[in-house]
Amino acid sequence: MKRILCTTALTVGALIAAIGLPAGAAHADTAPRIDLRVLVVSDGGPSTDAIAAELDVAGTPYTEIDLTEADRPVIDAELLADTVDGRPRAKYQAVVLPSDNPFAAGSAEMAALVAYEQTYGIPQVDAYTYARPEAGLNYPVEGGYAGSLDGVRAEVTDAGLAGPFGYLDGAVPFEDNSPTVGESYAYLSTPVAGADFTPYVDAAIPGTSQRGSLVGEYRHDGRRELVVTFVYNQYQQQFRLLARGIVEWMTGGVHLGASRNYFAVHVDDVFAADDRWNTELNCTPGDVDCPDGAGTPDPIRMTPGDVTYATDWQDSRGFTLDLAYNGAGSVEHRADNGGADPLADRFVDERAEFRWINHTYTHAFLGCEQDTTVVPWRCATEADGSTRWVSRTTIGDEIAINRAWGESAGLPLENDELVTGEHSGMKVLPQQTDDNPNLALALEDTDIAWLGSDNSREPQQRQVGPSTTVPRYPMNVFYNAGRAAEQVDEYNWIYTGRAQGGSGICEDNPATSTCLTEPLDTATGYADYIVPLETNTALGHVLANDPKPHFIHQSNLAEDRIAYPVLNGVLDGYDALYADDTPVVNLRMKDIGTELQRRASWQAALDGVTAYRIGDAVTVEAPDGVAVTATMPTGTTLAGAAFGEAYAGERSGWTPSAGIPLTLDLPSSAPPSTAAGAAAVTDPAPDTYVPQGTREPAAD
């Protein structure tokens, strides 16, 4: 049965008038203004939340309307468009809906959206919708599929590679992290006969020789929809792979904000030796997790051969490690070995192959003075009960002497970078609830601008005196393990229950994500369990536009060299997924800090940013002192010069605003900002319908 657009049966002319366009504006010579902002209409489900999260991280402005809130704004012509200085304005460059039509039958809100999209050529993303003719697809019961896609390898089609997903190599693997938990649900179906539908991502339909669409573009009634027929959340790899393309499709590659894939690895304690885990005592002799006098330290230290391996590995991967060094480690080794230190000599010979970070001279703990007579340790106190702090002079000497040692060795240093031993000096819960007040003073004395911090303790950047922190992800490759069997033994002790001989941390903290139901085999557990898990975790950070570095220790590059399987897993996994024009971005610490700082400033200023497109010109106005981030098509110019840097087939980057409008000139090849004119209005998008007997999955 044919349905009218809404109960008032608006004509095309009435729709245009309702949106706020002057008569004939759809065909006027003056192009309308399209604001660079996205409208996200959410139902509280994970799919719209995932797209909103992608916009958040990239710094792309959006307005969210939650359909579950009773006092939400009504979506009508006034909310969507108006007139500015006599020019019609579309307030949103794209619309994201939870499905192709989340409203009740005859909805005036859906009618307003349809008219808006037709009039201004605004694209619509159906974040997760059922495969049905109203979305350009056959019902799954008609030769398609509805069910789990766990472990399935989807593919980007030729049209997808030539279009919004060209930054991928082709494969889109769906996660299957647990055999007992359903992680994905999808509808696979073919386009309706005669429909103008182009699949961009598809997968084989089980039991047939056909492939069904998972992401595709449906063009109808003067509108364009990106139809997504699988459910996802913001953390799943399949979404992370496709998120960039979804945003590029909805914006035509013209939007504020930018996204890249970053990976940096810091290797701590270089030149020093790391104490070894004792598999019998379940602690590390010589370190604070063992009682004083328990066991004999058995240090792990790299060899010259390990340096050669590291340089060869870097050359083969096109990747640079950041080495956080402790000069005293070499001085002490020479003192104990007749002046010889082949490791330091080899590193100094190869110093230009690496990036170097000051890690303090002796790796001393720079917070409170530690009382290690108890386990866990506690802060020593003065007679009056106040905390006894490591002095300003001691902290300053640790920084300055290590810097002088590095300079004398010719290490190519950035002297404003610092990682303290164990991130000490900053608060460490539960023992030390505040920063050492002497830390900020010493950082000022030594001109430190960037201070490494532990992301597991403090994921946000903050100021410590004159320094800005750079949160670092700790990899679960332990500092006190040089051999795979030691790593597994310690992993088993930490993550199993007390009845199994473990620490019981998971019993005390059930939310711990790495808990084990039974101990791993010490001979195979590292390669079979820990490496895939750590690879997946780190790769997830890489795919999430997250520039924060990861850190391991020099012990992990020694003996069994247990870090490399994880690092290779991340880089090999990435190379298998992305095209050559979308490389991993490998920044040093201060550049990561700058990127995070710019993002914070941009997010704080975003409500005061105005950006819009008129024809082939984009204008951006931002507060003075705030750098503008944007993504534009290749060929875009700013003041006659190429805008930004090439990445993923586009141009993106940061540009100082100086408080004056920036004008970006788009190439003639850029997609038009509006439709040529209002299309004839036929049927509205109907209600979502699920045939009887087919399960519509609950949001995961």
Side-chain angles (χ1 to χ4, degrees):
M1 180 181 72
K2 187 173 182 178
R3 303 181 183 182
I4 60 174
L5 185 61
C6 65
T7 55
T8 54
L10 296 177
T11 65
V12 174
L15 286 169
I16 294 173
I19 287 176
L21 291 176
H27 303 284
D29 293 335
T30 302
R33 162 178 158 169
I34 310 295
D35 282 4
L36 301 191
R37 175 174 284 269
V38 175
L39 177 63
V40 177
V41 180
S42 171
D43 61 356
S47 299
T48 47
D49 285 353
I51 293 175
E54 173 69 12
L55 299 174
D56 265 328
V57 173
T60 302
Y62 68 95
T63 296
E64 183 168 10
I65 295 177
D66 188 340
L67 296 178
T68 66
E69 294 182 354
D71 59 348
R72 68 173 178 86
V74 174
I75 301 172
D76 56 16
E78 183 179 358
L79 181 136
L80 297 169
D82 60 9
T83 300
V84 176
D85 297 330
R87 184 187 297 275
R89 174 178 72 150
K91 297 181 182 179
Y92 308 100
Q93 65 180 134
V95 173
V96 178
L97 298 183
S99 65
D100 59 303
N101 182 2
F103 301 97
S107 166
E109 290 185 293
M110 192 67 215
L113 284 167
V114 167
Y116 176 69
E117 293 170 11
Q118 290 172 329
T119 302
Y120 289 101
I122 301 300
Q124 173 182 309
V125 174
D126 306 335
Y128 168 51
T129 198
Y130 181 74
R132 59 204 184 100
E134 293 83 358
L137 296 168
N138 291 304
Y139 293 123
V141 294
E142 298 171 351
Y145 170 78
S148 173
L149 282 194
D150 290 5
V152 168
R153 174 184 165 120
E155 297 282 346
V156 182
T157 66
D158 289 344
L161 291 173
F165 301 101
Y167 57 90
L168 295 173
D169 255 355
V172 182
F174 276 61
E175 291 181 340
D176 187 13
N177 297 319
S178 171
T180 61
V181 177
E183 299 163 35
S184 62
Y185 194 98
Y187 304 107
L188 292 171
S189 188
T190 55
V192 171
D196 188 358
F197 191 104
T198 303
Y200 288 145
V201 181
D202 64 15
I205 299 175
T208 77
S209 60
Q210 293 185 304
R211 299 185 68 82
S213 178
L214 288 165
V215 182
E217 181 174 336
Y218 181 37
R219 295 167 292 275
H220 65 107
D221 302 333
R223 300 167 61 214
R224 297 168 56 235
E225 293 180 50
L226 192 71
V227 179
V228 183
T229 57
F230 70 94
V231 70
Y232 48 89
N233 64 52
Q234 62 180 297
Y235 305 105
Q236 290 180 300
Q237 185 179 96
Q238 54 264 33
F239 171 70
R240 293 260 44 97
L241 291 173
L242 299 174
R244 171 185 291 277
I246 292 171
V247 173
E248 299 319 305
W249 181 89
M250 75 166 85
T251 63
V254 178
H255 62 88
L256 297 180
S259 178
R260 300 192 180 191
N261 298 330
Y262 301 87
F263 190 43
V265 178
H266 294 182
V267 183
D268 289 2
D269 305 350
V270 170
F271 300 126
D274 290 297
D275 294 322
R276 189 187 306 274
W277 173 256
N278 186 298
T279 57
E280 295 180 358
L281 297 174
N282 289 328
C283 65
T284 311
D287 211 338
V288 294
D289 66 332
C290 257
D292 286 348
T296 302
D298 179 16
I300 309 164
R301 192 172 191 254
M302 292 176 69
T303 67
D306 296 326
V307 179
T308 300
Y309 191 94
T311 56
D312 290 345
W313 179 84
Q314 286 191 152
D315 291 343
S316 70
R317 304 303 324 210
F319 188 86
T320 301
L321 297 169
D322 296 87
L323 306 186
Y325 73 95
N326 307 103
S330 177
V331 172
E332 292 168 1
H333 190 89
R334 291 187 192 278
D336 294 338
N337 293 274
D341 187 2
L343 172 64
D345 293 342
R346 182 67 178 147
F347 260 131
V348 170
D349 288 344
E350 300 291 347
R351 58 189 177 275
E353 298 295 316
F354 304 96
R355 294 190 293 247
W356 297 86
I357 303 171
N358 189 340
H359 195 33
T360 71
Y361 188 59
T362 69
H363 200 279
F365 190 84
L366 302 179
C368 63
E369 292 189 12
Q370 292 176 296
D371 176 359
T372 59
T373 61
V374 294
V375 177
W377 62 270
R378 61 191 175 196
C379 286
T381 57
E382 303 289 358
D384 62 0
S386 62
T387 300
R388 185 183 302 162
W389 298 105
V390 174
S391 71
R392 174 180 182 177
T393 299
T394 298
I395 299 172
D397 286 348
E398 282 286 332
I399 299 168
I401 295 172
N402 202 51
R403 176 186 293 165
W405 186 94
E407 290 172 342
S408 69
L411 304 183
L413 299 175
E414 294 287 344
N415 281 328
D416 55 355
E417 297 178 335
L418 176 70
V419 177
T420 58
E422 302 178 55
H423 305 101
S424 60
M426 290 173 281
K427 59 185 177 181
V428 180
L429 300 178
Q431 295 99 324
Q432 183 187 316
T433 57
D434 298 300
D435 293 342
N436 181 345
N438 296 317
L439 176 64
L441 301 173
L443 296 175
E444 186 170 5
D445 294 340
T446 51
D447 298 321
I448 298 299
W450 304 104
L451 178 65
S453 62
D454 186 338
N455 187 79
S456 66
R457 299 176 190 166
E458 297 187 83
Q460 302 301 323
Q461 266 191 316
R462 67 179 178 96
Q463 289 299 120
V464 181
S467 306
T468 304
T469 62
V470 179
R472 308 189 306 161
Y473 285 112
M475 280 188 162
N476 231 358
V477 181
F478 302 139
Y479 78 97
N480 52 1
R483 303 186 181 101
E486 296 165 351
Q487 164 81 18
V488 176
D489 183 86
E490 183 175 5
Y491 200 94
N492 284 339
W493 183 80
I494 295 173
Y495 296 121
T496 57
R498 293 182 180 90
Q500 297 166 309
S503 70
I505 188 175
C506 291
E507 295 162 273
D508 299 337
N509 302 278
T512 305
S513 62
T514 44
C515 297
L516 299 171
T517 56
E518 60 184 17
L520 302 174
D521 187 322
T522 55
T524 61
Y526 187 65
D528 293 348
Y529 183 88
I530 297 175
V531 168
L533 182 61
E534 290 308 305
T535 296
N536 188 58
T537 298
L539 185 57
H541 299 152
V542 175
L543 304 189
N545 187 22
D546 188 344
K548 294 176 183 175
H550 297 71
F551 72 95
I552 55 176
H553 295 79
Q554 63 84 32
S555 53
N556 308 141
L557 304 187
E559 299 181 347
D560 287 354
R561 299 169 179 161
I562 61 177
Y564 291 108
V566 176
L567 304 185
N568 284 330
V570 173
L571 295 174
D572 287 341
Y574 186 89
D575 289 346
L577 297 171
Y578 283 87
D580 291 343
D581 67 355
T582 313
V584 162
V585 179
N586 176 219
L587 301 179
R588 73 171 303 132
M589 191 170 92
K590 67 186 304 179
D591 296 327
I592 294 170
T594 299
E595 173 69 18
L596 293 171
Q597 200 171 50
R598 284 173 170 171
R599 291 186 187 191
S601 296
W602 174 250
Q603 289 287 358
L606 206 49
D607 286 344
V609 174
T610 300
Y612 55 89
R613 176 179 177 179
I614 299 175
D616 289 334
V618 171
T619 300
V620 184
E621 300 177 36
D624 189 13
V626 175
V628 170
T629 178
T631 299
M632 297 287 152
T634 299
T636 298
T637 59
L638 174 63
F643 168 76
E645 299 173 343
Y647 193 79
E650 299 172 306
R651 306 285 297 188
S652 57
W654 294 94
T655 300
S657 65
I660 60 175
L662 302 175
T663 300
L664 300 166
D665 295 312
L666 303 175
S668 58
S669 59
S673 60
T674 63
V681 178
T682 55
D683 290 344
D687 303 330
T688 299
Y689 169 72
V690 180
Q692 187 174 5
T694 301
R695 181 168 72 93
E696 175 80 359
D700 291 344

